[in-house]
Amino acid sequence: MFRFPKSLSKVLRTQRKISKLFEVKVRAPRRKAVRTTNAIFEMTSKFGSNPGRLLMKSFAAQDLLPKSPLVVVLHGCRQTPESFDAASGITRLAKARGFAVLFPQQTASNNPHRCFNWFRPSAVARDRGELLSIKQMIAHACSKHRCNRSRVFIVGLSAGGAMAAALVANYPDTFAGAAFVAGMPVGSARDALSALGAMNRGATAPSSGWGSNVTGLSDLKRSYPPISVWQGTLDTVVNPKNADAMLEQWLQASNVDPLIQRTETKSWGTRRTWGAKGSNPIVSYSIKGMGHGFPVKRTSRKSSGAGDPYVLAAGVSAPLELMHLWGI
């Protein structure tokens, strides 16, 4: 009978244990599926070397004008571009406001829960892995849809939010604006086990401060785009402490005084803004009573978002608010 060496068997047991922990952590709450009208996405197989082995999907209306913006949307674990879009209405906004949308998609062969691998250094290193695959998709989409390369925006949820943050940290000149929803700070984990610990308890800052994980990626002095950080106060998947860590990270990286802020109390929660007028602001959205997900303001039962349990009813609409922040 063939037997694994003890050390290898222990490694395999640990991997299975981590996989089960992720299964529990990102398990979707049960919700009755409702058929929704999806946009027809274009699937592109040849867009570059694709070292991260991701799928590229995109949407652009037939009458899209040249030099239109491009919005990159990174889904969370267990989501697909189709489910995320049907519940959030992003492509409906794209038709109405005239922009193209890029939907990178994770595969089960890369991650069994279809999470972007934001916690693997090889996946988020500059010009490597999943990070490079998404950068290649952006370049291809801009060329194909004749988008304005100076008006590329990115938003990500959960693992997608963490991956979006890694993209902005490595390629800040690519983006004109970014939003991280229930995401994680750049450099907050190095493997699946440390990722789970950081998600549960809140990530531990390095001795040099969170900003060093961003500024340390290059010796060049960089300017970062306007950034917004979104978090539900009742999120049990990603501890809200991580939103505070992300804010600290980007305030430090952008050399913005954290003590100079404007605070607005809203019916849905609290909005805080840092940065002088004319500068690239950093904005925080703390959404009272919301769990783990992407906030969309509901106007009718038909827009309930059923079918994607990570798009949640809230008093504020992230898609509409981002359109305002980004000037689209």
Side-chain angles (χ1 to χ4, degrees):
M1 182 183 293
F2 178 78
R3 285 190 167 187
F4 285 121
K6 185 176 180 181
S7 59
L8 181 56
S9 298
K10 187 175 181 180
V11 169
L12 292 174
R13 285 197 301 273
T14 301
Q15 288 179 337
R16 286 195 293 269
K17 183 178 179 181
I18 292 172
S19 182
K20 287 180 180 178
L21 286 171
F22 261 115
E23 179 79 28
V24 171
K25 195 70 176 169
V26 302
R27 182 180 295 148
R30 291 184 179 181
R31 182 178 290 187
K32 184 179 179 181
V34 174
R35 187 175 181 83
T36 55
T37 302
N38 289 333
I40 299 175
F41 295 151
E42 180 179 354
M43 184 84 165
T44 304
S45 57
K46 295 181 180 179
F47 55 84
S49 58
N50 191 19
R53 304 184 304 280
L54 301 177
L55 302 178
M56 176 180 174
K57 295 179 178 178
S58 61
F59 171 83
Q62 290 184 347
D63 58 352
L64 184 71
L65 296 175
K67 298 295 183 180
S68 294
L70 174 70
V71 174
V72 183
V73 181
L74 299 183
H75 64 78
C77 300
R78 297 190 172 279
Q79 285 184 311
T80 64
E82 290 82 359
S83 70
F84 194 177
D85 176 64
S88 64
I90 290 173
T91 56
R92 290 195 294 273
L93 279 174
K95 288 181 189 176
R97 301 194 177 214
F99 61 90
V101 191
L102 168 63
F103 295 91
Q105 182 173 348
Q106 183 59 284
T107 65
S109 59
N110 280 346
N111 185 296
H113 308 297
R114 299 193 303 276
C115 311
F116 289 105
N117 290 303
W118 60 273
F119 49 83
R120 289 183 184 170
S122 61
V124 294
R126 183 181 173 88
D127 294 340
R128 291 181 63 189
E130 294 176 16
L131 212 67
L132 180 55
S133 291
I134 297 171
K135 184 174 184 288
Q136 290 174 343
M137 291 182 200
I138 293 171
H140 184 87
C142 282
S143 177
K144 180 176 179 59
H145 301 302
R146 298 177 295 170
C147 294
N148 186 341
R149 292 177 185 268
S150 65
R151 298 200 71 204
V152 177
F153 305 91
I154 188 167
V155 57
L157 168 64
S158 193
M163 182 60 77
L167 278 156
V168 175
N170 280 277
Y171 307 112
D173 295 339
T174 299
F175 302 102
F180 314 135
V181 185
M184 295 292 295
V186 176
S188 54
R190 296 191 63 81
D191 51 42
L193 195 58
S194 62
L196 279 170
M199 288 163 62
N200 279 322
R201 297 183 294 273
T204 302
S207 57
S208 52
W210 277 118
S212 63
N213 285 1
V214 172
T215 57
L217 295 173
S218 174
D219 293 332
L220 301 174
K221 186 176 181 181
R222 293 176 160 186
S223 176
Y224 300 97
I227 286 169
S228 60
V229 176
W230 301 67
Q231 183 72 48
T233 60
L234 297 184
D235 193 333
T236 58
V237 176
V238 173
N239 192 311
K241 290 179 182 178
N242 291 301
D244 295 332
M246 293 191 84
L247 289 166
E248 182 182 336
Q249 181 166 72
W250 291 100
L251 287 166
Q252 186 178 351
S254 303
N255 198 28
V256 174
D257 188 341
L259 298 179
I260 301 177
Q261 63 169 281
R262 300 184 298 281
T263 301
E264 302 167 82
T265 301
K266 304 286 189 179
S267 60
W268 47 262
T270 305
R271 169 178 157 145
R272 293 179 291 164
T273 306
W274 293 264
K277 280 190 175 181
S279 65
N280 291 345
I282 296 173
V283 187
S284 162
Y285 291 82
S286 179
I287 303 169
K288 182 174 57 180
M290 191 181 81
H292 185 69
F294 188 79
V296 175
K297 192 170 185 178
R298 306 302 182 200
T299 56
S300 69
R301 286 190 175 185
K302 289 183 179 180
S303 62
S304 63
D308 192 316
Y310 298 114
V311 177
L312 305 178
V316 60
S317 171
L320 289 176
E321 189 73 9
L322 292 176
M323 296 300 101
H324 174 71
L325 287 175
W326 296 341
I328 298 178

